[in-house]
Amino acid sequence: MTLQEAAVQADALALAGSERELADLRAKWGDDLESAARSADFRERAVAFRAIGQFRWRQKEELLRRGLDDESPAARGSALLSLELLSRDHPSTVNSVRSLLHNLATVDGNAAVRRLAIVCLRNGSPQRETIVLLDGLAEDDEAEPELRNAAAKVSQTLKRKPKPQAKK
């Protein structure tokens, strides 16, 4: 079985709520995943970064951060897909890499990576600077239509989210 096949199996186990079997699979594939994430081959790194999300492996979030800085758009995109999956119920996952996501959304050379970064921002807290950035992208006449639409939709979603309460 390959790492990619194990990741698909892990995703199915996670969706089925089979925590014990998922933990066993993580234990078996942990070293292979770490090795693939450090591979010279961008395809292996992309599979590894995508597998982190499929394994629901929160302990590997720092490895995902490295994936966001990868030279390969495929690896960055895979890291973003995993980040989006892991952050659905945990806004702190996005909040901890917000500045990297802002950078990817605005200056990355790959349009798909830019859109994925915008989609990830949807799962974070509704921070003012994120909403302002997204509104700016949505109004940028030089940006591609898909990017503008994604930015507008995520901005509207964030504006509808309740604001975090100030701590007393």
Side-chain angles (χ1 to χ4, degrees), residues 55-108:
F55 274 95
R56 309 303 195 274
W57 221 329
R58 296 202 170 284
Q59 296 81 0
K60 303 284 185 191
E61 284 182 16
E62 189 56 41
L63 198 54
L64 274 184
R65 180 185 295 262
R66 191 172 326 138
L68 297 176
D69 286 328
D70 198 281
E71 64 189 29
S72 164
R76 290 192 307 276
S78 290
L80 286 164
L81 288 170
S82 285
L83 184 72
E84 193 280 329
L85 181 62
L86 291 174
S87 66
R88 289 179 185 170
D89 296 321
H90 300 277
S92 63
T93 303
V94 165
N95 295 341
S96 68
V97 294
R98 182 181 303 277
S99 62
L100 285 171
L101 292 174
H102 284 186
N103 190 49
L104 288 171
T106 55
V107 299
D108 195 273

Side-chain angles (χ1 to χ4, degrees), residues 42-55:
F42 77 91
R43 293 168 295 214
E44 289 183 29
R45 293 193 312 273
V47 167
F49 294 133
R50 181 70 182 107
I52 292 170
Q54 291 172 299
F55 274 95

Side-chain angles (χ1 to χ4, degrees), residues 8-54:
V8 169
Q9 184 179 357
D11 190 47
L13 290 171
L15 290 173
S18 303
E19 291 297 322
R20 182 72 201 137
E21 293 86 352
L22 181 59
D24 292 342
L25 203 57
R26 284 181 188 145
K28 181 178 178 184
W29 286 93
D31 290 341
D32 290 341
L33 186 138
E34 291 275 345
S35 175
R38 289 170 174 72
S39 173
D41 185 344
F42 77 91
R43 293 168 295 214
E44 289 183 29
R45 293 193 312 273
V47 167
F49 294 133
R50 181 70 182 107
I52 292 170
Q54 291 172 299

Side-chain angles (χ1 to χ4, degrees), residues 105 113-122 134 137 147 150-151 154:
V113 168
R114 290 180 71 192
R115 285 192 306 273
L116 284 170
I118 288 168
V119 170
C120 286
L121 288 166
R122 175 186 63 208
L134 292 170
L137 289 172
L147 183 99
V154 172

